[in-house]
């Protein structure tokens, strides 16, 4: 019988069985205990260590389960072969923990991603959510991979009525954000080896997603009607990513003629697709929102329609959806048919009832009116403060483009605003290439999260920051 | 002035302005109205049609916004160039809507993905969720891209205590399911052009995800200790996807010596990584769960640790997390640093408080005890009914492997069970290659969603189905 070199410390914060387990495992790993050696019996070791038999038994069982020991019936516990001593691995020296990048604190956040959380329908959302948790426990189980069918029914109705999208619920895929869904589309389209044309200036994150998923991108400079088709043709792209209802960030709405040209381009060769990102088209202030490109093309047309609820509900409620044309739907089901949906079913069903019971359209109307009046007061305050100011983007969406004709330059405008506690970005930052094309002295003002009573002080602070 | 050919129908369900808009848009698209033509004034047309001036104005404004008309100040509305008639696109004939695949209804669902939803902590989860919705409206805004820091703190503590995972909260990434996170890891590793070794039999969906994200896979046949290192070496893979705590589906726990060999393999060349999928290791019945491979390798080791809450909470609550080694974390931040997190912040924070306030460990203990007693009654009932039965997988996880030594063959066992309303799968279905290696007459029984009082009738029904 083996002589055990063991000491258990009752003052140690680890349990006695854990100490024994670690000690024995270390002896096996370092070769102090060798393959084939028999360990003391449980009773004998427990007496030797003055601990309960159960303590020894637990440690031995753990060592058996992890493959350090073998239990031979009617004989005892034997050390197993432990051939490979674990070498130290050479890794680049990196600080762990890695510090996470911190954002500068600002008094006014004019970034384009923010929304007014005070407009969120807490009461109704909370009530529906609670009712569903108690009334429908089956929602805890796996749901349909494309998203709950009831939700997709409601989405099809909503998208048809409000966005002119023509599709059946079967063509809809629900997912945890447009980024996730765009990634799936890129994986589907990657196989054909094409490249994607994207708008310049535009949404850099979409380029990142397309490229991370294996679809190289080419920037096409927009003109006053959005992405021009000759530029698209020249790019050699087979995929075209666009924001036609409300170009990001210049707020241009693509006219019908240009839309038809785009669709004609897509129909011009097999395998061409338009990815229509309809990111905030529900906030159109002067009239009903412009119908989608997808609707012009019809349910079998070459358009993938993408939309998010991150602005109409909240950025942190991760629900987005896309509409696939039939041939891509078939490929989607074959490639991703086994993937679980990424959105919690309780949130899917809460949104479903919110749509079905009419709350969503009332909520949208309320938001639209609040945002419109905020936009108008902001525009008024700015025109008052800067008589020569140019403001674009009043019709749609949640940001304005401000141009100061004799301004000190975009960088100086950004920096002096930041020094005054105002976070905003210059327009040229949205240019992925050819920044020299950018309108001078222009910044992007997202006003969604401003409080109405702050608008006066914001305009005053900007006036102070940008005075010459 | 143009002679208008127009008729608006008050009985039509569409609003009058909508009818007018559609009619004019159609005339422009079909060339009946040509570029440069001037439309009637609003007052004149409203009189002609006997509708309000506002109706005409709305339709005209929509046509201007969409680029069909141009409004010339002090002159009127003119038709714009509409050069491209939209051609019909030739698409493969597909039925729209495409029917969605239906699952056969079964009396007993013995698939491995199910859980017992009755064990879900409705009361506590619902209470925390409701408190957060009212008390923390800031959770509606964008959160940290890797997941809320408070949640990652709690996850680091939980993973260290219960899974032996060594990491800082900064190394954790929260996401809407292991599939999503595995896809991101594959995109990071794809660039080096390596291939991944996966276990055969194993988890087919993981192969699909790796391959969809550009990482080709090689199957390596497991032995009695899990994935063998010589097979791994032979495969030429640089990435190794494993389920060491509880191999899926054979329920083998990888012994410590084999784990050390795996880690030695990973340390043997730069750029090698182990992807450890710890998918249901929290359900270990005979003792504390086996610590993770990641913990053996340490926080800087070559292991990506992945775990899901889909079994410990519910499949439809989409929360999973992964732990990245520092060099992959740096690459993750550079490639995906701009992606929004995919999990609703309310669900993140509900889980955070559930962990922090000790509910999660109590909930796990309750589930473990319920599942253990269910597994034992099922095993007892089966041994009673089939005296020669072999049952594996009693120590961990939520399924058993049942072998009937003189059975009628796996296919017959599956089919006669299905005819009796019992949904189960043969073991060979989990073999991606070389099915001839599969143990004969063996099926996989997921028992998580069985009700205790059903076990007797399930065993009787199986006895009836499989009698010779």
């Amino acid at each position: 019988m083996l002589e055990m070199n063991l000491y258990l410390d009752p003052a140690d914060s680890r349990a006695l069985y854990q100490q024994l387990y670690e000690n024995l495992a270390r002896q096996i790993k370092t070769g102090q205990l060798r393959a084939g050696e028999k360990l003391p019996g449980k009773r004998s070791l427990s007496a030797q260590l003055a601990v309960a038999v159960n303590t020894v038994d637990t440690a031995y069982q753990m060592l058996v389960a992890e493959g350090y020991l073998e239990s031979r019936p009617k004989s005892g516990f034997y050390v197993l072969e432990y051939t490979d001593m674990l070498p130290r691995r050479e890794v680049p020296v990196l600080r762990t923990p890695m510090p996470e990048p911190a954002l500068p604190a600002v008094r006014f956040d004019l970034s384009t991603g923010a929304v007014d959380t005070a407009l969120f329908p807490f009461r109704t959302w909370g009530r529906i959510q609670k009712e569903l948790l108690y009334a429908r426990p089956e929602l805890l189980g796996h749901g349909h991979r494309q998203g709950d069918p009831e939700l997709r029914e409601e989405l099809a109705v909503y998208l048809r009525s409000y966005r002119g999208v023509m599709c059946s619920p079967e063509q809809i895929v629900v997912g945890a954000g447009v980024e996730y869904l765009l990634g799936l589309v890129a994986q589907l389209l990657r196989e054909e080896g094409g490249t994607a044309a994207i708008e310049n200036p535009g949404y850099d994150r979409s380029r990142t997603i397309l490229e991370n998923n294996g679809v190289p991108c080419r920037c096409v400079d927009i003109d006053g009607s959005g992405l021009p088709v000759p530029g698209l043709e020249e790019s050699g792209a087979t995929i075209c990513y666009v924001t036609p209802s409300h170009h990001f960030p210049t707020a241009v709405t693509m006219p019908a003629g240009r839309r038809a040209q785009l669709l004609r381009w897509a129909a011009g060769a097999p395998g061409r697709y338009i990815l229509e990102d309809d990111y905030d088209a529900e906030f159109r202030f002067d009239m009903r929102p412009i119908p989608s490109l997808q609707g012009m093309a019809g349910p079998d047309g070459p358009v993938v329609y993408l939309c998010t609820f991150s602005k109409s509900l909240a950025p942190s409620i991760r629900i987005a959806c896309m509409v696939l044309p039939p041939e891509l739907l078939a490929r989607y089901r074959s490639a991703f048919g086994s993937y679980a949906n990424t959105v919690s079913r309780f949130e899917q069903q809460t949104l479903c009832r919110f749509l079905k019971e009419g709350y969503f359209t009332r909520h949208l109307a309320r938001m639209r009116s609040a945002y419109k009046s905020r936009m108008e007061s902001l525009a008024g305050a700015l025109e008052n403060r800067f008589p020569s100011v140019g403001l674009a983007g009043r019709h749609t969406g949640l940001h304005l483009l401000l141009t100061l004709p004799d301004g000190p330059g975009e960088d100086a405008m950004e920096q002096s605003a930041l020094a005054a506690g105002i976070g905003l970005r210059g327009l040229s930052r949205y240019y992925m290439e050819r920044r020299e094309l950018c309108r001078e002295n222009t910044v992007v003002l997202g006003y969604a999260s401003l409080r109405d009573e702050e608008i006066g002080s914001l305009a005053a602070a900007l006036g102070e920051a940008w005075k010459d």
Side-chain angles (χ1 to χ4, degrees), chain A:
Chain A
M1 165 114 53
L2 196 67
E3 200 49 41
M4 299 301 290
N5 173 20
L6 279 170
Y7 171 69
L8 306 186
D9 179 3
D12 192 311
S13 66
R14 295 169 301 163
L16 292 171
Y17 76 84
Q18 178 74 18
Q19 293 183 48
L20 180 57
Y21 154 81
E22 289 180 13
N23 194 312
L24 291 173
R26 191 177 53 247
Q27 294 195 37
I28 295 168
K29 289 196 223 172
T30 55
Q32 288 173 264
L33 288 173
R34 262 172 296 200
E37 284 183 302
K38 184 181 179 186
L39 263 64
K42 292 184 270 189
R43 286 182 193 284
S44 135
L45 185 59
S46 68
Q48 184 190 322
L49 297 171
V51 298
V53 176
N54 214 25
T55 300
V56 178
D57 187 50
T58 303
Y60 278 14
Q61 293 301 342
M62 285 167 67
L63 293 164
V64 170
E66 296 184 26
Y68 291 103
L69 297 183
E70 175 186 24
S71 165
R72 296 188 194 154
K74 295 183 192 157
S75 168
F77 292 87
Y78 293 81
V79 176
L80 279 174
E81 185 89 12
Y82 189 90
T83 38
D84 283 286
M85 295 305 108
L86 186 62
R88 289 304 306 163
R89 188 178 186 229
E90 298 207 9
V91 289
V93 180
L94 278 163
R95 284 160 308 175
T96 305
M98 284 172 76
E100 302 184 351
L103 295 172
V106 289
R107 210 169 123 218
F108 301 103
D109 173 15
L110 303 184
S111 67
T112 55
V115 299
D116 185 351
T117 55
L119 295 172
F120 186 77
F122 289 98
R123 195 181 300 264
T124 311
W125 193 265
R127 177 177 57 77
I128 297 177
Q129 188 170 262
K130 186 178 152 201
E131 284 172 13
L132 288 169
L133 185 62
Y134 292 103
R136 298 194 54 193
E138 79 278 11
L139 295 180
L140 290 167
H142 284 290
H144 195 288
R145 298 179 188 287
Q146 283 181 222
D148 280 16
E150 301 101 300
L151 172 61
R152 287 185 284 126
E153 292 275 349
E154 293 305 320
L155 287 172
V157 171
Y158 165 72
L159 292 175
R160 182 161 56 246
S161 323
Y162 287 82
R163 305 297 310 116
V165 169
M166 305 305 287
C167 72
S168 68
E170 288 79 4
Q171 291 176 270
I172 297 180
V173 179
V174 174
V178 163
E179 298 166 7
Y180 171 70
L181 295 171
L182 186 58
L184 295 184
V185 173
Q187 289 178 31
L188 285 181
L189 297 177
R190 184 185 61 211
E191 286 169 29
E192 295 173 10
T195 58
I198 54 170
E199 300 157 326
N200 184 47
Y203 201 42
D204 192 36
R205 198 184 303 166
S206 298
R207 174 166 73 165
T208 305
I209 293 164
L210 290 167
E211 294 192 336
N212 279 344
N213 286 283
V215 176
C217 292
R218 304 269 173 278
C219 288
V220 175
D221 300 326
I222 65 160
D223 63 20
S225 303
L227 189 114
V229 175
L232 174 57
E233 295 275 11
E234 259 170 52
S235 76
T238 52
I239 302 160
C240 175
Y241 170 88
V242 273
T243 53
S245 299
H246 180 228
H247 173 257
F248 183 85
T250 67
V252 166
T253 295
M254 186 179 281
R258 178 66 59 87
R259 288 168 186 246
Q261 288 174 2
L262 260 191
L263 291 174
R264 188 186 170 82
W265 167 83
R272 284 186 179 170
Y273 288 97
I274 295 170
L275 312 184
E276 176 180 21
D277 188 344
D278 205 30
Y279 76 106
D280 68 358
E282 53 275 51
F283 300 108
R284 174 100 201 172
F285 301 129
D286 52 347
M287 66 178 66
R288 198 191 68 153
I290 309 296
S292 63
L293 247 181
Q294 195 276 354
M296 278 180 81
D300 296 337
V303 179
V304 175
Y305 175 86
L306 295 143
C307 85
T308 175
F309 288 83
S310 111
K311 296 203 181 245
S312 52
L313 285 170
S316 79
I317 293 183
R318 306 300 302 160
I319 309 186
C321 70
M322 65 176 172
V323 175
L324 293 175
E327 69 269 30
L328 284 188
L329 179 61
R331 281 157 63 185
Y332 168 88
R333 288 188 180 165
S334 122
F336 307 123
S338 67
Y339 287 21
N341 196 278
T342 47
V343 183
S344 156
R345 289 184 74 197
F346 287 107
E347 294 204 328
Q348 289 190 50
Q349 290 283 344
T350 304
L351 175 58
C352 176
R353 279 191 48 192
F354 203 71
L355 285 161
K356 189 175 202 156
E357 295 169 17
Y359 295 112
F360 188 70
T361 52
R362 290 204 288 280
H363 168 64
L364 268 189
R366 194 168 146 247
M367 288 182 99
R368 208 181 279 125
S369 132
Y371 285 138
K372 182 181 185 187
S373 92
R374 189 166 305 162
M375 181 272 292
E376 284 169 349
S377 346
L378 177 62
L382 291 169
E383 282 167 341
N384 227 1
R385 174 64 63 165
F386 305 101
S388 64
V389 76
L391 292 176
R394 294 182 196 227
H395 295 308
T396 320
L398 303 175
H399 67 265
L400 292 172
L401 291 196
L402 175 150
T403 306
L404 220 50
D406 304 311
E410 187 190 291
D411 285 354
M413 287 171 75
E414 251 187 25
Q415 283 157 24
S416 47
L418 189 61
I422 303 162
L424 51 74
R425 301 180 78 190
L427 179 59
S428 77
R429 289 176 174 260
Y430 299 90
Y431 278 76
M432 292 172 272
E433 291 176 3
R434 293 175 291 282
R435 289 197 172 193
E436 64 278 12
L437 297 176
C438 182
R439 201 180 315 167
E440 286 185 355
N441 290 307
T442 303
V443 295
V444 178
L445 305 181
Y447 53 79
S449 71
L450 274 184
R451 281 176 292 126
D452 293 322
E453 62 273 23
E454 290 176 333
I455 287 175
S457 17
L458 168 65
L462 280 176
E464 201 53 36
W466 292 340
K467 69 171 182 225
D468 14 52

